[in-house]
mmCIF file of all heavy atoms in Angstrom:
data_model
loop_
_atom_site.group_PDB
_atom_site.id
_atom_site.type_symbol
_atom_site.label_atom_id
_atom_site.label_comp_id
_atom_site.label_asym_id
_atom_site.label_seq_id
_atom_site.Cartn_x
_atom_site.Cartn_y
_atom_site.Cartn_z
ATOM 1 N N LEU A 6 32.050 35.433 128.011
ATOM 2 C CA LEU A 6 30.869 34.518 128.203
ATOM 3 C C LEU A 6 29.705 35.343 128.717
ATOM 4 O O LEU A 6 29.714 35.626 129.925
ATOM 5 C CB LEU A 6 31.297 33.384 129.205
ATOM 6 C CG LEU A 6 30.165 32.414 129.449
ATOM 7 C CD1 LEU A 6 29.699 31.639 128.194
ATOM 8 C CD2 LEU A 6 30.464 31.441 130.604
ATOM 9 N N LEU A 43 41.995 38.360 138.431
ATOM 10 C CA LEU A 43 40.544 38.279 138.192
ATOM 11 C C LEU A 43 39.937 39.471 138.909
ATOM 12 O O LEU A 43 40.123 39.597 140.161
ATOM 13 C CB LEU A 43 39.960 36.952 138.705
ATOM 14 C CG LEU A 43 38.437 36.955 138.829
ATOM 15 C CD1 LEU A 43 37.716 36.798 137.553
ATOM 16 C CD2 LEU A 43 38.015 35.772 139.739
ATOM 17 N N ALA A 44 39.045 40.261 138.234
ATOM 18 C CA ALA A 44 38.277 41.307 139.021
ATOM 19 C C ALA A 44 36.845 40.787 139.061
ATOM 20 O O ALA A 44 36.229 40.443 138.042
ATOM 21 C CB ALA A 44 38.315 42.612 138.252
ATOM 22 N N THR A 45 36.330 40.733 140.295
ATOM 23 C CA THR A 45 34.917 40.406 140.523
ATOM 24 C C THR A 45 34.126 41.667 140.753
ATOM 25 O O THR A 45 34.344 42.292 141.822
ATOM 26 C CB THR A 45 34.677 39.326 141.658
ATOM 27 O OG1 THR A 45 35.370 39.845 142.789
ATOM 28 C CG2 THR A 45 35.291 38.011 141.281
ATOM 29 N N LEU A 46 33.336 42.104 139.837
ATOM 30 C CA LEU A 46 32.554 43.338 139.953
ATOM 31 C C LEU A 46 31.132 42.983 140.179
ATOM 32 O O LEU A 46 30.410 42.623 139.275
ATOM 33 C CB LEU A 46 32.665 44.157 138.681
ATOM 34 C CG LEU A 46 34.085 44.362 138.142
ATOM 35 C CD1 LEU A 46 34.097 45.313 136.927
ATOM 36 C CD2 LEU A 46 35.076 44.903 139.239
ATOM 37 N N PHE A 47 30.719 43.032 141.467
ATOM 38 C CA PHE A 47 29.398 42.590 141.842
ATOM 39 C C PHE A 47 28.599 43.737 142.301
ATOM 40 O O PHE A 47 28.740 44.287 143.397
ATOM 41 C CB PHE A 47 29.444 41.469 142.927
ATOM 42 C CG PHE A 47 29.615 40.129 142.278
ATOM 43 C CD1 PHE A 47 30.861 39.860 141.516
ATOM 44 C CD2 PHE A 47 28.727 39.082 142.350
ATOM 45 C CE1 PHE A 47 31.045 38.634 140.895
ATOM 46 C CE2 PHE A 47 28.973 37.857 141.813
ATOM 47 C CZ PHE A 47 30.067 37.620 141.042
ATOM 48 N N SER A 51 25.753 38.595 146.490
ATOM 49 C CA SER A 51 26.157 37.236 146.079
ATOM 50 C C SER A 51 26.992 36.664 147.188
ATOM 51 O O SER A 51 27.811 37.392 147.846
ATOM 52 C CB SER A 51 27.029 37.289 144.809
ATOM 53 O OG SER A 51 27.704 36.086 144.613
ATOM 54 N N THR A 52 26.852 35.370 147.475
ATOM 55 C CA THR A 52 27.788 34.599 148.348
ATOM 56 C C THR A 52 28.614 33.667 147.486
ATOM 57 O O THR A 52 29.762 33.756 147.325
ATOM 58 C CB THR A 52 26.939 33.831 149.425
ATOM 59 O OG1 THR A 52 26.219 34.772 150.174
ATOM 60 C CG2 THR A 52 27.858 33.043 150.275
ATOM 61 N N ARG A 53 27.845 32.694 146.861
ATOM 62 C CA ARG A 53 28.465 31.621 146.103
ATOM 63 C C ARG A 53 29.222 32.123 144.879
ATOM 64 O O ARG A 53 30.348 31.766 144.691
ATOM 65 C CB ARG A 53 27.447 30.597 145.640
ATOM 66 C CG ARG A 53 27.256 29.411 146.545
ATOM 67 C CD ARG A 53 25.853 28.901 146.362
ATOM 68 N NE ARG A 53 24.936 30.003 146.759
ATOM 69 C CZ ARG A 53 24.533 30.166 147.993
ATOM 70 N NH1 ARG A 53 24.931 29.430 148.914
ATOM 71 N NH2 ARG A 53 23.744 31.167 148.278
ATOM 72 N N THR A 54 28.493 32.818 144.034
ATOM 73 C CA THR A 54 29.159 33.073 142.721
ATOM 74 C C THR A 54 30.435 33.900 142.862
ATOM 75 O O THR A 54 31.484 33.533 142.282
ATOM 76 C CB THR A 54 28.155 33.783 141.816
ATOM 77 O OG1 THR A 54 26.912 32.976 141.755
ATOM 78 C CG2 THR A 54 28.701 33.896 140.401
ATOM 79 N N ARG A 55 30.383 34.929 143.668
ATOM 80 C CA ARG A 55 31.558 35.750 143.805
ATOM 81 C C ARG A 55 32.797 34.930 144.484
ATOM 82 O O ARG A 55 33.811 34.918 143.965
ATOM 83 C CB ARG A 55 31.286 37.028 144.607
ATOM 84 C CG ARG A 55 32.524 37.978 144.654
ATOM 85 C CD ARG A 55 32.157 39.322 145.248
ATOM 86 N NE ARG A 55 31.739 39.144 146.650
ATOM 87 C CZ ARG A 55 32.592 39.133 147.659
ATOM 88 N NH1 ARG A 55 33.846 39.222 147.518
ATOM 89 N NH2 ARG A 55 32.111 39.083 148.918
ATOM 90 N N LEU A 56 32.382 34.339 145.645
ATOM 91 C CA LEU A 56 33.493 33.555 146.340
ATOM 92 C C LEU A 56 34.007 32.405 145.504
ATOM 93 O O LEU A 56 35.105 32.043 145.590
ATOM 94 C CB LEU A 56 32.934 33.179 147.690
ATOM 95 C CG LEU A 56 32.580 34.370 148.633
ATOM 96 C CD1 LEU A 56 32.200 33.832 150.039
ATOM 97 C CD2 LEU A 56 33.807 35.298 148.835
ATOM 98 N N SER A 57 33.050 31.833 144.767
ATOM 99 C CA SER A 57 33.457 30.702 143.926
ATOM 100 C C SER A 57 34.426 31.093 142.830
ATOM 101 O O SER A 57 35.490 30.444 142.635
ATOM 102 C CB SER A 57 32.188 30.084 143.332
ATOM 103 O OG SER A 57 32.364 29.255 142.288
ATOM 104 N N PHE A 58 34.134 32.259 142.185
ATOM 105 C CA PHE A 58 35.094 32.755 141.198
ATOM 106 C C PHE A 58 36.466 33.067 141.888
ATOM 107 O O PHE A 58 37.470 32.775 141.338
ATOM 108 C CB PHE A 58 34.548 34.090 140.593
ATOM 109 C CG PHE A 58 33.822 33.849 139.303
ATOM 110 C CD1 PHE A 58 32.470 34.055 139.169
ATOM 111 C CD2 PHE A 58 34.537 33.321 138.161
ATOM 112 C CE1 PHE A 58 31.767 33.832 137.996
ATOM 113 C CE2 PHE A 58 33.855 33.182 136.986
ATOM 114 C CZ PHE A 58 32.484 33.388 136.920
ATOM 115 N N GLU A 59 36.414 33.702 143.101
ATOM 116 C CA GLU A 59 37.620 34.163 143.699
ATOM 117 C C GLU A 59 38.460 32.919 144.189
ATOM 118 O O GLU A 59 39.637 32.827 143.953
ATOM 119 C CB GLU A 59 37.311 35.115 144.866
ATOM 120 C CG GLU A 59 36.653 36.354 144.336
ATOM 121 C CD GLU A 59 36.534 37.524 145.327
ATOM 122 O OE1 GLU A 59 36.715 37.240 146.511
ATOM 123 O OE2 GLU A 59 36.085 38.618 144.931
ATOM 124 N N ALA A 60 37.716 31.893 144.752
ATOM 125 C CA ALA A 60 38.358 30.787 145.200
ATOM 126 C C ALA A 60 38.996 29.991 144.015
ATOM 127 O O ALA A 60 40.142 29.558 144.020
ATOM 128 C CB ALA A 60 37.431 29.765 145.960
ATOM 129 N N ALA A 61 38.317 29.974 142.913
ATOM 130 C CA ALA A 61 38.791 29.335 141.652
ATOM 131 C C ALA A 61 40.061 29.964 141.184
ATOM 132 O O ALA A 61 41.129 29.248 140.960
ATOM 133 C CB ALA A 61 37.731 29.361 140.562
ATOM 134 N N MET A 62 40.052 31.242 141.202
ATOM 135 C CA MET A 62 41.282 32.014 140.647
ATOM 136 C C MET A 62 42.423 31.816 141.647
ATOM 137 O O MET A 62 43.595 31.577 141.267
ATOM 138 C CB MET A 62 40.983 33.467 140.506
ATOM 139 C CG MET A 62 42.096 34.256 139.837
ATOM 140 S SD MET A 62 42.467 33.497 138.173
ATOM 141 C CE MET A 62 43.234 34.893 137.371
ATOM 142 N N LEU A 63 42.200 31.831 142.965
ATOM 143 C CA LEU A 63 43.211 31.671 143.954
ATOM 144 C C LEU A 63 43.852 30.244 143.888
ATOM 145 O O LEU A 63 45.023 30.102 143.862
ATOM 146 C CB LEU A 63 42.804 32.003 145.381
ATOM 147 C CG LEU A 63 42.320 33.446 145.643
ATOM 148 C CD1 LEU A 63 41.625 33.596 146.994
ATOM 149 C CD2 LEU A 63 43.539 34.369 145.563
ATOM 150 N N GLU A 64 42.976 29.236 143.683
ATOM 151 C CA GLU A 64 43.451 27.966 143.585
ATOM 152 C C GLU A 64 44.242 27.670 142.303
ATOM 153 O O GLU A 64 44.940 26.683 142.165
ATOM 154 C CB GLU A 64 42.273 26.941 143.644
ATOM 155 C CG GLU A 64 41.694 26.776 145.025
ATOM 156 C CD GLU A 64 40.619 25.691 145.147
ATOM 157 O OE1 GLU A 64 40.449 24.944 144.222
ATOM 158 O OE2 GLU A 64 39.875 25.770 146.183
ATOM 159 N N LEU A 65 44.086 28.602 141.312
ATOM 160 C CA LEU A 65 44.825 28.443 140.029
ATOM 161 C C LEU A 65 46.135 29.301 140.159
ATOM 162 O O LEU A 65 46.839 29.465 139.138
ATOM 163 C CB LEU A 65 43.989 28.950 138.892
ATOM 164 C CG LEU A 65 42.824 28.088 138.504
ATOM 165 C CD1 LEU A 65 41.944 28.818 137.450
ATOM 166 C CD2 LEU A 65 43.249 26.796 137.937
ATOM 167 N N HIS A 68 45.536 36.033 141.213
ATOM 168 C CA HIS A 68 45.125 37.003 142.224
ATOM 169 C C HIS A 68 43.735 37.486 141.959
ATOM 170 O O HIS A 68 43.218 37.337 140.834
ATOM 171 C CB HIS A 68 46.058 38.219 142.154
ATOM 172 C CG HIS A 68 47.520 37.885 142.309
ATOM 173 N ND1 HIS A 68 48.119 37.661 143.541
ATOM 174 C CD2 HIS A 68 48.443 37.690 141.346
ATOM 175 C CE1 HIS A 68 49.410 37.380 143.312
ATOM 176 N NE2 HIS A 68 49.662 37.360 142.017
ATOM 177 N N VAL A 69 43.140 38.100 142.990
ATOM 178 C CA VAL A 69 41.760 38.614 142.841
ATOM 179 C C VAL A 69 41.685 40.069 143.340
ATOM 180 O O VAL A 69 42.347 40.456 144.282
ATOM 181 C CB VAL A 69 40.655 37.768 143.471
ATOM 182 C CG1 VAL A 69 40.598 36.392 142.858
ATOM 183 C CG2 VAL A 69 40.866 37.653 144.958
ATOM 184 N N ILE A 99 40.968 39.491 133.556
ATOM 185 C CA ILE A 99 39.642 38.924 133.296
ATOM 186 C C ILE A 99 38.664 39.482 134.236
ATOM 187 O O ILE A 99 39.068 39.846 135.413
ATOM 188 C CB ILE A 99 39.668 37.373 133.260
ATOM 189 C CG1 ILE A 99 38.396 36.775 132.836
ATOM 190 C CG2 ILE A 99 40.115 36.823 134.675
ATOM 191 C CD1 ILE A 99 38.454 35.300 132.403
ATOM 192 N N ILE A 100 37.423 39.741 133.815
ATOM 193 C CA ILE A 100 36.396 40.306 134.692
ATOM 194 C C ILE A 100 35.234 39.387 134.862
ATOM 195 O O ILE A 100 34.696 38.838 133.822
ATOM 196 C CB ILE A 100 35.919 41.610 134.088
ATOM 197 C CG1 ILE A 100 37.092 42.634 134.133
ATOM 198 C CG2 ILE A 100 34.681 42.213 134.887
ATOM 199 C CD1 ILE A 100 36.759 43.970 133.345
ATOM 200 N N ALA A 101 34.779 39.170 136.071
ATOM 201 C CA ALA A 101 33.437 38.485 136.240
ATOM 202 C C ALA A 101 32.490 39.543 136.875
ATOM 203 O O ALA A 101 32.823 40.127 137.918
ATOM 204 C CB ALA A 101 33.581 37.317 137.241
ATOM 205 N N MET A 102 31.380 39.823 136.143
ATOM 206 C CA MET A 102 30.458 40.888 136.695
ATOM 207 C C MET A 102 29.070 40.393 136.915
ATOM 208 O O MET A 102 28.575 39.543 136.187
ATOM 209 C CB MET A 102 30.512 42.094 135.753
ATOM 210 C CG MET A 102 29.889 41.793 134.385
ATOM 211 S SD MET A 102 29.695 43.311 133.425
ATOM 212 C CE MET A 102 28.268 44.179 134.138
ATOM 213 N N ARG A 103 28.473 40.992 137.919
ATOM 214 C CA ARG A 103 27.055 40.703 138.224
ATOM 215 C C ARG A 103 26.399 42.024 138.335
ATOM 216 O O ARG A 103 26.872 42.947 138.959
ATOM 217 C CB ARG A 103 26.869 39.948 139.544
ATOM 218 C CG ARG A 103 25.469 39.936 139.990
ATOM 219 C CD ARG A 103 25.156 38.949 141.085
ATOM 220 N NE ARG A 103 25.256 37.546 140.643
ATOM 221 C CZ ARG A 103 24.956 36.541 141.519
ATOM 222 N NH1 ARG A 103 24.515 36.782 142.695
ATOM 223 N NH2 ARG A 103 25.044 35.326 141.017
ATOM 224 N N VAL A 121 35.136 39.246 129.519
ATOM 225 C CA VAL A 121 34.143 39.481 130.530
ATOM 226 C C VAL A 121 33.270 38.226 130.715
ATOM 227 O O VAL A 121 32.812 37.663 129.661
ATOM 228 C CB VAL A 121 33.221 40.685 130.143
ATOM 229 C CG1 VAL A 121 32.033 40.832 131.019
ATOM 230 C CG2 VAL A 121 34.069 41.985 130.016
ATOM 231 N N ILE A 122 32.968 37.953 131.924
ATOM 232 C CA ILE A 122 32.033 36.779 132.179
ATOM 233 C C ILE A 122 30.851 37.396 132.886
ATOM 234 O O ILE A 122 30.942 38.106 133.879
ATOM 235 C CB ILE A 122 32.758 35.742 133.155
ATOM 236 C CG1 ILE A 122 34.073 35.243 132.552
ATOM 237 C CG2 ILE A 122 31.786 34.582 133.479
ATOM 238 C CD1 ILE A 122 34.861 34.391 133.530
ATOM 239 N N ASN A 123 29.696 36.959 132.371
ATOM 240 C CA ASN A 123 28.386 37.379 133.008
ATOM 241 C C ASN A 123 28.097 36.467 134.190
ATOM 242 O O ASN A 123 27.890 35.263 134.060
ATOM 243 C CB ASN A 123 27.274 37.253 131.957
ATOM 244 C CG ASN A 123 25.943 37.578 132.504
ATOM 245 O OD1 ASN A 123 25.847 38.041 133.670
ATOM 246 N ND2 ASN A 123 24.866 37.390 131.688
ATOM 247 N N ALA A 124 28.191 37.097 135.384
ATOM 248 C CA ALA A 124 27.924 36.310 136.648
ATOM 249 C C ALA A 124 26.503 36.542 137.095
ATOM 250 O O ALA A 124 26.220 36.396 138.274
ATOM 251 C CB ALA A 124 28.950 36.701 137.676
ATOM 252 N N GLY A 125 25.617 36.878 136.127
ATOM 253 C CA GLY A 125 24.196 37.057 136.458
ATOM 254 C C GLY A 125 23.826 38.526 136.124
ATOM 255 O O GLY A 125 24.385 39.426 136.637
ATOM 256 N N HIS A 131 22.564 33.562 133.470
ATOM 257 C CA HIS A 131 23.582 33.232 134.473
ATOM 258 C C HIS A 131 24.362 31.974 134.045
ATOM 259 O O HIS A 131 24.197 30.962 134.532
ATOM 260 C CB HIS A 131 22.813 32.969 135.811
ATOM 261 C CG HIS A 131 23.715 32.922 137.036
ATOM 262 N ND1 HIS A 131 25.141 32.861 136.923
ATOM 263 C CD2 HIS A 131 23.445 32.964 138.360
ATOM 264 C CE1 HIS A 131 25.649 32.818 138.163
ATOM 265 N NE2 HIS A 131 24.650 32.852 139.008
ATOM 266 N N PRO A 132 25.135 32.239 132.974
ATOM 267 C CA PRO A 132 25.777 31.021 132.385
ATOM 268 C C PRO A 132 26.750 30.215 133.198
ATOM 269 O O PRO A 132 26.874 29.003 133.003
ATOM 270 C CB PRO A 132 26.536 31.656 131.179
ATOM 271 C CG PRO A 132 26.689 33.173 131.480
ATOM 272 C CD PRO A 132 25.530 33.446 132.279
ATOM 273 N N THR A 133 27.393 30.870 134.179
ATOM 274 C CA THR A 133 28.374 30.087 134.959
ATOM 275 C C THR A 133 27.643 29.151 135.955
ATOM 276 O O THR A 133 28.124 28.105 136.316
ATOM 277 C CB THR A 133 29.482 30.879 135.625
ATOM 278 O OG1 THR A 133 28.981 31.748 136.606
ATOM 279 C CG2 THR A 133 30.281 31.627 134.585
ATOM 280 N N GLN A 134 26.392 29.566 136.379
ATOM 281 C CA GLN A 134 25.650 28.656 137.218
ATOM 282 C C GLN A 134 25.315 27.425 136.384
ATOM 283 O O GLN A 134 25.279 26.273 136.882
ATOM 284 C CB GLN A 134 24.379 29.330 137.783
ATOM 285 C CG GLN A 134 23.481 28.404 138.698
ATOM 286 C CD GLN A 134 24.239 27.893 139.867
ATOM 287 O OE1 GLN A 134 24.900 28.611 140.588
ATOM 288 N NE2 GLN A 134 24.085 26.573 140.178
ATOM 289 N N LEU A 136 27.056 26.135 134.071
ATOM 290 C CA LEU A 136 28.287 25.208 134.045
ATOM 291 C C LEU A 136 28.209 24.300 135.244
ATOM 292 O O LEU A 136 28.453 23.163 135.203
ATOM 293 C CB LEU A 136 29.518 26.021 133.934
ATOM 294 C CG LEU A 136 29.754 26.920 132.698
ATOM 295 C CD1 LEU A 136 31.051 27.586 132.747
ATOM 296 C CD2 LEU A 136 29.651 26.025 131.379
ATOM 297 N N VAL A 287 27.475 23.447 144.462
ATOM 298 C CA VAL A 287 28.425 24.521 144.842
ATOM 299 C C VAL A 287 29.833 24.166 144.521
ATOM 300 O O VAL A 287 30.568 24.957 143.912
ATOM 301 C CB VAL A 287 28.225 24.834 146.395
ATOM 302 C CG1 VAL A 287 29.209 25.936 146.730
ATOM 303 C CG2 VAL A 287 26.746 25.247 146.688
ATOM 304 N N GLY A 290 30.531 23.982 140.930
ATOM 305 C CA GLY A 290 30.598 25.313 140.323
ATOM 306 C C GLY A 290 32.003 25.884 140.378
ATOM 307 O O GLY A 290 32.429 26.538 139.371
ATOM 308 N N LYS A 291 32.672 25.719 141.522
ATOM 309 C CA LYS A 291 34.069 26.196 141.639
ATOM 310 C C LYS A 291 34.984 25.516 140.600
ATOM 311 O O LYS A 291 35.833 26.201 139.941
ATOM 312 C CB LYS A 291 34.581 26.004 143.006
ATOM 313 C CG LYS A 291 35.932 26.608 143.247
ATOM 314 C CD LYS A 291 36.524 26.257 144.620
ATOM 315 C CE LYS A 291 36.986 24.781 144.706
ATOM 316 N NZ LYS A 291 37.549 24.463 145.993
ATOM 317 N N ILE A 292 34.758 24.241 140.418
ATOM 318 C CA ILE A 292 35.661 23.549 139.560
ATOM 319 C C ILE A 292 35.438 23.959 138.048
ATOM 320 O O ILE A 292 36.367 24.242 137.281
ATOM 321 C CB ILE A 292 35.515 21.968 139.689
ATOM 322 C CG1 ILE A 292 35.753 21.592 141.118
ATOM 323 C CG2 ILE A 292 36.350 21.241 138.716
ATOM 324 C CD1 ILE A 292 35.410 20.199 141.468
ATOM 325 N N MET A 293 34.179 24.130 137.691
ATOM 326 C CA MET A 293 33.824 24.562 136.332
ATOM 327 C C MET A 293 34.320 25.990 136.084
ATOM 328 O O MET A 293 34.753 26.327 134.954
ATOM 329 C CB MET A 293 32.290 24.452 136.084
ATOM 330 C CG MET A 293 31.802 23.063 135.901
ATOM 331 S SD MET A 293 32.623 22.170 134.412
ATOM 332 C CE MET A 293 31.526 22.736 133.120
ATOM 333 N N ARG A 294 34.323 26.857 137.142
ATOM 334 C CA ARG A 294 34.875 28.208 136.946
ATOM 335 C C ARG A 294 36.315 28.171 136.724
ATOM 336 O O ARG A 294 36.890 28.991 136.001
ATOM 337 C CB ARG A 294 34.381 29.093 138.133
ATOM 338 C CG ARG A 294 32.925 29.382 138.056
ATOM 339 C CD ARG A 294 32.413 30.307 139.079
ATOM 340 N NE ARG A 294 30.997 30.623 138.890
ATOM 341 C CZ ARG A 294 29.986 30.042 139.545
ATOM 342 N NH1 ARG A 294 30.237 29.203 140.608
ATOM 343 N NH2 ARG A 294 28.759 30.325 139.260
ATOM 344 N N LYS A 295 36.980 27.254 137.377
ATOM 345 C CA LYS A 295 38.454 27.086 137.141
ATOM 346 C C LYS A 295 38.660 26.734 135.634
ATOM 347 O O LYS A 295 39.508 27.355 134.981
ATOM 348 C CB LYS A 295 39.068 26.039 138.036
ATOM 349 C CG LYS A 295 39.178 26.410 139.499
ATOM 350 C CD LYS A 295 39.514 25.241 140.397
ATOM 351 C CE LYS A 295 40.990 25.059 140.690
ATOM 352 N NZ LYS A 295 41.255 24.134 141.790
ATOM 353 N N LEU A 297 36.761 27.304 133.196
ATOM 354 C CA LEU A 297 36.335 28.430 132.309
ATOM 355 C C LEU A 297 37.421 29.518 132.287
ATOM 356 O O LEU A 297 37.733 30.062 131.218
ATOM 357 C CB LEU A 297 35.038 29.046 132.832
ATOM 358 C CG LEU A 297 34.481 30.248 132.042
ATOM 359 C CD1 LEU A 297 34.099 29.857 130.629
ATOM 360 C CD2 LEU A 297 33.361 30.986 132.759
ATOM 361 N N ILE A 298 37.927 29.877 133.425
ATOM 362 C CA ILE A 298 38.976 30.929 133.500
ATOM 363 C C ILE A 298 40.133 30.519 132.635
ATOM 364 O O ILE A 298 40.659 31.278 131.847
ATOM 365 C CB ILE A 298 39.353 31.257 134.962
ATOM 366 C CG1 ILE A 298 38.275 31.858 135.734
ATOM 367 C CG2 ILE A 298 40.679 32.037 135.029
ATOM 368 C CD1 ILE A 298 38.448 31.992 137.303
ATOM 369 N N LEU A 301 39.136 30.826 128.950
ATOM 370 C CA LEU A 301 39.065 32.195 128.367
ATOM 371 C C LEU A 301 40.368 32.873 128.351
ATOM 372 O O LEU A 301 40.624 33.729 127.458
ATOM 373 C CB LEU A 301 38.052 33.011 129.167
ATOM 374 C CG LEU A 301 36.642 32.562 129.102
ATOM 375 C CD1 LEU A 301 35.689 33.519 129.884
ATOM 376 C CD2 LEU A 301 36.066 32.536 127.666
#
Side-chain angles (χ1 to χ4, degrees):
L6 179 65
L43 162 77
T45 51
L46 312 185
F47 277 60
S51 165
T52 298
R53 266 152 299 274
T54 307
R55 185 173 64 85
L56 296 185
S57 162
F58 265 114
E59 295 186 355
M62 190 55 161
L63 293 171
E64 287 183 14
L65 293 170
H68 304 278
V69 297
I99 186 164
I100 294 171
M102 68 174 282
R103 168 170 288 189
V121 171
I122 302 171
N123 178 6
H131 193 345
T133 63
Q134 179 61 44
L136 296 179
V287 177
K291 183 185 74 178
I292 301 169
M293 285 300 272
R294 288 184 177 101
K295 287 169 92 167
L297 178 70
I298 291 170
L301 294 182

